[in-house]
Amino acid sequence: AQSVTQLGSHVSVSEGALVLLRCNYSSSVPPYLFWYVQYPNQGLQLLLKYTTGATLVKGINGFEAEFKKSETSFHLTKPSAHMSDAAEYFCAVCGTYKYIFGTGTRLKVLA
Amino acid sequence: KAGVTQTPRYLIKTRGQQVTLSCSPISGHRSVSWYQQTPGQGLQFLFEYFSETQRNKGNFPGRFSGRQFSNSRSEMNVSTLELGDSALYLCASSPWDSPMNTEAFFGQGTRLTVV
């Protein structure tokens, strides 16, 4: 069975600081991995995805993630946090015609 | 290109009633999935339809059902509503016509409150 674990349900960073949101996955087959962002009272917006090929994936809004098979990780980073990055972030792995989501990490950006 | 449209955005129902939620996918997408989002359980998969066929179903009671029409629009129905059914219901649209083409686009959701 496939699963995703997000470490840290809440993360706070100062504006301009590095953002690091952690995601570890479990999968018996090569995984397809995704990061989504959710703003209050909104749906999910895709930030980036990993299917095959380059392990460093660049997404929208300056976010990127690196697929590390040896560590079964797919952590999300952004070099410099902006106030507008405050939201909830979900890591997901693609299963059989469905997504399996992590529990989410709420990012707070401090002025 | 229009995004995924879910209607209604907000709904208040009484325990025991039934409700139908609607989702119009992105044009050309044949896969529609439904998810329930609650603070306690997070995002949980309900079911997925592709060309009117249900290909996968999550671990929800039979009160939750869905269908997809020939134009790919989908509806989900919840009968005999319980307080615990209060949630944000999200619809996702995807081509999902190959293992490589699974990127999902989500609607804004329907916020269901059961009182």
Side-chain angles (χ1 to χ4, degrees):
Chain A
Q2 294 165 298
S3 65
V4 165
T5 301
Q6 290 184 244
L7 297 175
S9 58
H10 291 81
V11 170
S12 293
V13 299
S14 298
E15 191 173 21
L18 172 72
V19 175
L20 171 60
L21 304 182
R22 299 177 187 273
C23 173
N24 288 87
Y25 70 89
S26 173
S27 178
S28 57
V29 297
Y32 293 171
L33 296 162
F34 304 79
W35 274 100
Y36 280 86
V37 62
Q38 186 177 35
Y39 298 99
N41 295 317
Q42 297 293 317
L44 302 177
Q45 181 183 9
L46 180 69
L47 282 175
L48 48 81
K49 64 178 179 180
Y50 169 78
T51 52
T52 59
T55 57
L56 182 61
V57 181
K58 294 187 184 298
I60 62 171
N61 302 338
F63 285 94
E64 62 182 36
E66 187 170 10
F67 172 69
K68 291 187 177 180
K69 184 178 178 181
S70 61
E71 299 177 8
T72 61
S73 69
F74 190 58
H75 301 331
L76 181 71
T77 61
K78 182 174 180 178
S80 176
H82 192 272
M83 298 297 289
S84 60
D85 295 327
E88 190 157 19
Y89 293 78
F90 293 91
C91 181
V93 63
C94 187
T96 304
Y97 306 128
K98 68 178 182 181
Y99 279 33
I100 298 118
F101 287 93
T103 50
T105 297
R106 190 170 297 278
L107 177 66
K108 185 175 182 179
V109 182
L110 307 171
Chain B
K1 208 174 193 181
V4 180
T5 303
Q6 290 189 246
T7 55
R9 287 291 313 277
Y10 301 91
L11 210 48
I12 300 175
K13 289 286 188 179
T14 303
R15 271 182 303 174
Q17 287 186 313
Q18 74 164 15
V19 67
T20 299
L21 312 181
S22 179
C23 173
S24 293
I26 291 170
S27 178
H29 286 186
R30 292 192 287 166
S31 169
V32 174
S33 306
W34 289 89
Y35 293 81
Q36 181 195 65
Q37 185 178 23
T38 59
Q41 299 297 317
L43 282 153
Q44 292 191 290
F45 170 74
L46 281 156
F47 24 67
E48 189 262 359
Y49 290 88
F50 185 88
S51 293
E52 302 179 70
T53 299
Q54 186 183 88
R55 297 193 297 185
N56 200 355
K57 186 179 190 304
N59 191 24
F60 278 82
R63 300 185 297 107
F64 291 81
S65 63
R67 59 178 175 169
Q68 186 180 34
F69 302 96
S70 58
N71 62 358
S72 293
R73 190 178 71 84
S74 177
E75 290 181 344
M76 68 163 281
N77 184 277
V78 188
S79 63
T80 320
L81 284 165
E82 301 178 357
L83 295 178
D85 297 333
S86 295
L88 180 67
Y89 289 88
L90 292 165
C91 168
S93 158
S94 170
W96 221 316
D97 50 9
S98 75
M100 294 291 291
N101 201 13
T102 62
E103 180 176 327
F105 298 83
F106 284 79
Q108 292 191 301
T110 294
R111 172 76 63 185
L112 172 65
T113 302
V114 182
V115 297

